[in-house]
Amino acid sequence: DTLKPSGVNIPDLPASADPRAVAQTCTLKPDPAGKPICQGLLGFPDKGRMTMRYALLFPGRLDAHDSPEDVLLMHPPKFTLKLSTVQGFETLSSGFIFDIKDTNRKKFGIHVGSQEDLQIWSSKLLVALQRTRDECGGSGPRAWNVSSRPAQPPPVAGSLELAPGRHPLQPPSG
């Protein structure tokens, strides 16, 4: 397997996972939160358009970088979705819809490039969301809908450029 350095236990990853980023995040310079559960390209809404970003799923959060090179250079993520803010999660045939706990109860869609990647991301997200719920004392999301619906464009609320503190998907502070 070309993605896995020899002698290292790395989880199943989508085909879009970059071998250099996998080596860096899983063996050389792990994040303080631990090793990513999953990583690869995902489509995020940005100014009314979909932008492919290199995403890393950690326990408790989903980070999005502009490219694998940003991960290699240890740049902070462009955006972070705190899993504790996810109230609901639905798998569609082309990606996911997150129901975000917010005063405005927002929905947020993410595109996945292939059915194989969708299956991997879906299973890893379910595990991460359940762990987050368990760590929050069971006060997190209660049910996840993983049935596939016909492909529909995910809802886009304009842009990811949302005011910090108003929405869980925001540039990290610092």
Side-chain angles (χ1 to χ4, degrees), residues 32 110 166:
I110 296 178
R166 291 225 23 189

Side-chain angles (χ1 to χ4, degrees), residues 31 42 46 50 61 69 77 88 98 110 121 140 142 163 166 172:
D31 186 274
L42 294 175
D46 188 10
M50 184 184 319
R61 73 179 199 270
E69 287 72 24
F98 292 100
I110 296 178
W121 276 106
R142 290 187 167 38
R166 291 225 23 189

